[in-house]
Amino acid sequence: AFSDPLQVDASLVTLHSLTSTILYNLGQLFLRINDNEEAASSFMRALQISEWGGGDRSKNSLSGVSVMAILHNIGHVQYRNGHYEDAVRTYAKALHLGKNSYSKSPDSLLEVATTLNCLGVLYFHLPKADTAKAMELYQESL
């Protein structure tokens, strides 16, 4: 449910995009070693820098990590920590960004489908599962 670290083309980076990407990759590492608190902290810092630095809000680019990808990982950490309502809000924010993106590239559409799927998983695993909502989200992700 988490992605591999991003590769960075040094000729295209800014200090903000590089810092954001490094923090994103640290978050991925912390997820891998099951340190959810540090993962959340790294992702939140990456989000702040990406939003402040004018990062690409909707799609991955060679110049840095997308805000949508960062939000997706924040939602994943919230889900892992049992903060389901927070995770729903975070995934919904990522989904809103993806659906309102000017880019309808295959990568952007894949991020939207992935986010819909994660929301479906979340609704399925809620303490009071909403299987109808999960089914709706799974079908929309197709």
Side-chain angles (χ1 to χ4, degrees):
F2 49 86
S3 52
D4 291 327
L6 295 175
Q7 300 291 320
V8 178
D9 181 339
S11 67
L12 299 174
V13 299
T14 66
L15 180 58
H16 289 109
S17 66
L18 180 60
T19 303
S20 178
T21 300
I22 292 167
L23 287 165
Y24 177 86
N25 287 342
L26 276 170
Q28 294 294 330
L29 175 66
F30 287 124
L31 278 177
R32 179 77 56 155
I33 62 172
N34 292 316
D35 189 339
N36 292 340
E37 185 176 323
E38 287 297 323
S41 175
S42 295
F43 291 133
M44 291 302 289
R45 289 173 52 210
L47 180 64
Q48 290 170 336
I49 291 168
S50 289
E51 289 180 332
W52 182 79
D56 186 340
R57 298 186 62 78
S58 62
K59 64 181 182 358
N60 286 331
S61 68
L62 294 174
S63 60
V65 63
S66 73
V67 171
M68 189 174 170
I70 296 168
L71 287 168
H72 192 271
N73 281 278
I74 291 169
H76 178 70
V77 172
Q78 291 165 331
Y79 169 76
R80 284 173 64 153
N81 287 334
H83 301 275
Y84 302 118
E85 296 302 320
D86 291 338
V88 167
R89 283 190 292 275
T90 301
Y91 280 125
K93 186 175 178 182
L95 189 59
H96 177 77
L97 280 176
K99 285 186 170 184
N100 293 304
S101 168
Y102 292 109
S103 171
K104 298 299 179 195
S105 71
D107 286 344
S108 293
L109 296 174
L110 182 59
E111 280 189 328
V112 168
T114 300
T115 304
L116 286 164
N117 181 65
C118 288
L119 271 167
V121 169
L122 181 58
Y123 276 99
F124 182 76
H125 289 285
L126 287 173
K128 292 188 177 189
D130 187 343
T131 55
K133 182 69 174 177
M135 179 67 75
E136 175 187 324
L137 290 161
Y138 290 148
Q139 290 176 336
E140 187 179 348
S141 73
L142 295 173

